[in-house]
Amino acid sequence: MRPHPIPAAAAAVLLCAALVSCTRQEEEPRDAVEPPVGAAVEPQTEEADESSPPPSEEPGEEDPFGTPVGWAGEPLERDGEDHPGVSGGAGGETVTASDADELSDHLSDEEPLTIEVSGRIDLDGAVEVGSDKTLVGVGDGAELTGGRLVVDGSSNVVLANLALESDGTAVAVRGGAHHVWVDGSTLTGGDGGAALVTVTGGADNVTLSWNHFRDAESAIGIGGEDDEPGALRVTVHHNYFDGTSGRHPSARSAEHVHVFNNYYRANPEYGVRSTHDANVLVEGNYFDGTPVSVAPEDEEPGNVVTRDNLLVDSAQPDLRGAVPDPPYTYELDDTATVPDVVAAGAGADTP
């Protein structure tokens, strides 16, 4: 499994390999990440998209708790205050939680905390996550069942190395919450079409990375009926969408959604959808057996730009409008290696 960024030693940068085009020679990979063992998957269908992403610069020194790639790492000015990139409970104490009551108490504490969880906890409903918190599974990770984590109006939150099983939404980010990073976790359930992760209500600067979504109809829903343009900046990278039906993600009224280097396998409905003038950039993803890879909604379409994706038994994308490049530094894995890289590294370290 990919080494998770929290809580022990300094983390490796989440992305690996070099910035490449599917038709160009590979550049030298970054030293921080080793390539996966085994041969890369050979695509059966040639890439269908434009190229190429903007050149990347080497990132600076990492935070000891790991550095997210994407919108969660970008500064944000809100209500007259400047908010830096996400760091979670860095600088605070490290505590443990062994049951739902203890977990809830720690997550609602006003001070920054890193909360370590090992083993299984039945949440028994919604558990609120306060600001300046890192919740991380240690050892073989943590299993959280019977409820969901709600980041409602909070900021600076890291959720990592967790196994979340829910009969609805497992993680809800809403109410103007910002700087939220969900990393290296396994999410299952989501009965009744509820997305396993929702980002709504003006939430902003969110990164979802290296997660394994499975045994669910819907994976990620971004934006709701009451959302207006100007927020909902979300990065979705290196996630494994393993047989989930749709919403990988579905973006509505989102200012900017960046979807890169994800592995889509056997998704019976669709991969990525853009609605209600959302701006979605989709690049370097591997779609295998996904009937509709990328498309705007028919009745209330959003904007979609794609490049450097590989399609195997998947339809060509439907494109619309223009979407700007994100402001942050990132590097793409060679798209042909995405199945190996992501399948080996995504998800929680659980037994």
Side-chain angles (χ1 to χ4, degrees), residues 15 42 46 79 129 140 209 253 287 300-301 314 350:
L15 295 181
E42 290 293 333
E46 294 298 322
D79 299 327
V129 181
D140 287 329
S209 58
S253 303
F287 294 91
E300 297 286 348
S314 299
T350 55

Side-chain angles (χ1 to χ4, degrees), residues 220-291:
I220 302 169
I222 300 172
E225 293 183 1
D226 297 329
D227 277 298
E228 299 290 339
L232 300 173
R233 284 173 279 244
V234 182
T235 302
V236 180
H237 76 85
H238 288 90
N239 297 283
Y240 184 9
F241 298 113
D242 186 6
T244 45
S245 296
R247 304 173 81 179
H248 311 96
S250 175
R252 175 187 177 119
S253 303
E255 183 71 16
H256 193 278
V257 177
H258 186 199
V259 182
F260 73 92
N261 277 163
N262 300 283
Y263 178 28
Y264 295 81
R265 189 197 68 81
N267 314 110
E269 293 184 14
Y270 66 90
V272 181
R273 181 171 63 190
S274 180
T275 78
H276 293 78
D277 295 320
N279 297 304
V280 183
L281 171 61
V282 184
E283 60 177 334
N285 300 282
Y286 195 107
F287 294 91
D288 188 355
T290 303

Side-chain angles (χ1 to χ4, degrees), residues 5-90:
I6 307 162
V13 175
L14 296 180
L15 295 181
C16 54
L19 177 63
V20 297
S21 162
C22 293
T23 58
R24 294 181 299 176
Q25 292 183 344
E26 294 184 3
E27 299 174 357
E28 289 188 2
R30 297 175 62 186
D31 294 336
V33 180
E34 295 293 330
V37 178
V41 174
E42 290 293 333
Q44 302 173 17
T45 306
E46 294 298 322
E47 69 278 337
D49 303 330
E50 309 96 313
S51 59
S52 291
S56 297
E57 300 177 358
E58 285 296 320
E61 186 177 351
E62 288 185 78
D63 184 283
F65 285 90
T67 302
V69 173
W71 280 110
E74 286 295 288
L76 175 69
E77 182 179 347
R78 174 170 287 195
D79 299 327
E81 295 185 11
D82 294 326
H83 299 273
V86 64
S87 59

Side-chain angles (χ1 to χ4, degrees), residues 177-200:
H178 60 90
H179 290 102
V180 179
W181 182 19
V182 182
D183 177 71
S185 294
T186 299
L187 300 101
T188 61
D191 293 342
L196 287 168
V197 176
T198 59
V199 183
T200 60

